[in-house]
Amino acid sequence: MIIDTHCHLNDKRFENDLEAVIQRAFDADVKGMIIPGADPSELPRAVEIAEKYDNIYFAVGVHPYDKEAFDLSYLEEHITHPKCIAVGECGLDYFRLPKEEAQKEADKAAQKEIFRKQIDLAKRYKKPLIVHIREASKDSLDILIEENAREVGGVLHCYNASPILLELDAHGFYYGIGGVVTFKNAKKLVEILPQIPQNKLLIETDAPYLTPHPHRGERNEPFYTTLVAQKMAEILQIDRKTLENIVLENTRRLFKAFF
Ligand code: NI
């Protein structure tokens, strides 16, 4: 059994066939999902989906791309919901910064400020963090350590597979492995995967984004975690069932959810 620990089921691209998407996953033994926060305007839809299905949970948080919409009290209104199990996705993303130097620095500062506020929120409500890091490994690492995020721990999206992020293992962090691991140009992640302690591995899609090979370019969905699990098992040279069991235990330990 696989849990997709990161899929944006509240995204508009699932509007017309969400039930079929979820059923396709369930039929393939992908039995649970976590919907991370991103744009707060999509949070009510995440709550609605989580209330409808036992094994679907959500997180409250604001993605760095949506930082203008950050509203702490709005997140606090939803964090005590029984299906809310994490804070995020929050973090730093330097991939799309403004070109002009002063604007670039202002954007980074604004991202850092709401990242720190969300780490504080997670600590106050004792929820693990879902952390998005893109081309910002060093700054993210520093902030997570400075803010003592180890009190709650969390999961990192492994976009860049930067080796320095392995340090966060010692701070209670897990590593979400997604479709990127199946890409032909994913050499760095393939190299780093065996260095991650197996009791820190999670599986995710980031659907509707980052669709695994051979479906790149199509919409991603939780069913495709099966391709991620298969590829991880190959790289780690363990059988897929063993891998799935390890990852399931990790998922339950981090999110304390009833999957
Ligand atoms: Ni995401």
Side-chain angles (χ1 to χ4, degrees):
M1 163 169 148
I2 299 174
I3 308 296
D4 184 352
T5 57
H6 192 124
C7 49
H8 299 274
L9 297 179
N10 53 345
D11 190 278
K12 284 180 190 66
R13 286 199 259 170
F14 293 116
E15 213 166 45
N16 296 323
D17 64 344
L18 183 66
E19 259 178 65
V21 166
I22 292 172
Q23 196 56 51
R24 204 151 42 235
F26 285 172
D27 290 347
D29 208 28
V30 181
K31 297 286 194 197
M33 293 140 212
I34 298 173
I35 309 172
D39 174 350
S41 69
E42 292 167 354
L43 182 54
R45 176 69 177 144
V47 176
E48 186 189 323
I49 298 165
E51 286 178 344
K52 192 169 166 193
Y53 296 91
D54 282 350
N55 266 1
I56 300 183
Y57 295 83
F58 71 95
V60 295
V62 178
H63 192 286
Y65 288 160
D66 299 300
K67 62 184 179 305
E68 274 72 36
F70 181 74
D71 177 347
L72 187 62
S73 57
Y74 185 66
L75 300 184
E76 287 200 77
E77 274 172 37
H78 292 86
I79 199 169
T80 52
H81 188 290
K83 299 300 287 291
C84 176
I85 56 168
V87 171
E89 57 185 299
C90 56
L92 301 179
D93 191 315
Y94 295 169
F95 182 66
R96 280 201 236 165
L97 287 173
K99 292 231 158 31
E100 199 271 314
E101 203 54 41
Q103 282 177 15
K104 184 191 275 184
E105 288 313 310
D107 194 287
K108 283 185 181 180
Q111 289 194 32
K112 287 176 186 175
E113 188 189 336
I114 71 158
F115 186 26
R116 288 184 195 274
K117 284 183 176 162
Q118 292 182 85
I119 297 170
D120 180 64
L121 178 70
K123 284 161 58 183
R124 282 192 285 120
Y125 288 88
K126 298 186 169 45
K127 307 267 183 204
L129 287 154
I130 298 172
V131 181
H132 169 104
I133 299 171
R134 195 166 183 195
E135 296 187 8
S137 298
K138 180 70 175 88
D139 284 359
S140 304
L141 180 71
D142 290 347
I143 287 177
L144 287 165
I145 292 173
E146 274 167 38
E147 298 291 334
N148 205 21
R150 66 185 306 157
E151 272 182 37
V152 288
V155 55
L156 310 173
H157 258 321
C158 292
Y159 285 128
N160 298 139
S162 166
I164 71 163
L165 295 175
L166 289 172
E167 276 186 49
L168 286 166
D169 167 41
H171 295 265
F173 278 83
Y174 289 65
Y175 298 83
I177 309 298
V180 172
V181 79
T182 68
F183 295 178
K184 292 215 156 61
N185 57 357
K187 283 201 189 77
K188 273 207 274 180
L189 183 54
V190 169
E191 268 170 35
I192 237 173
L193 184 59
Q195 298 175 46
I196 300 172
Q198 288 186 4
N199 67 352
K200 290 299 187 68
L201 292 172
L202 299 180
I203 293 177
E204 61 178 39
T205 51
D206 204 20
Y209 312 103
L210 295 173
T211 315
H213 176 80
H215 298 279
R216 283 186 83 171
E218 298 169 26
R219 181 188 69 175
N220 200 359
E221 59 174 76
F223 167 65
Y224 290 142
T225 52
T226 51
L227 298 172
V228 176
Q230 185 61 40
K231 185 70 185 183
M232 286 168 75
E234 280 168 34
I235 295 167
L236 297 174
Q237 298 176 309
I238 54 179
D239 71 79
R240 185 169 142 192
K241 195 79 217 151
T242 307
L243 174 86
E244 287 187 18
N245 288 338
I246 293 169
V247 172
L248 181 59
E249 278 314 304
N250 298 345
T251 308
R252 288 174 171 150
R253 192 184 319 116
L254 177 63
F255 291 108
K256 298 176 186 72
F258 296 103
F259 292 118

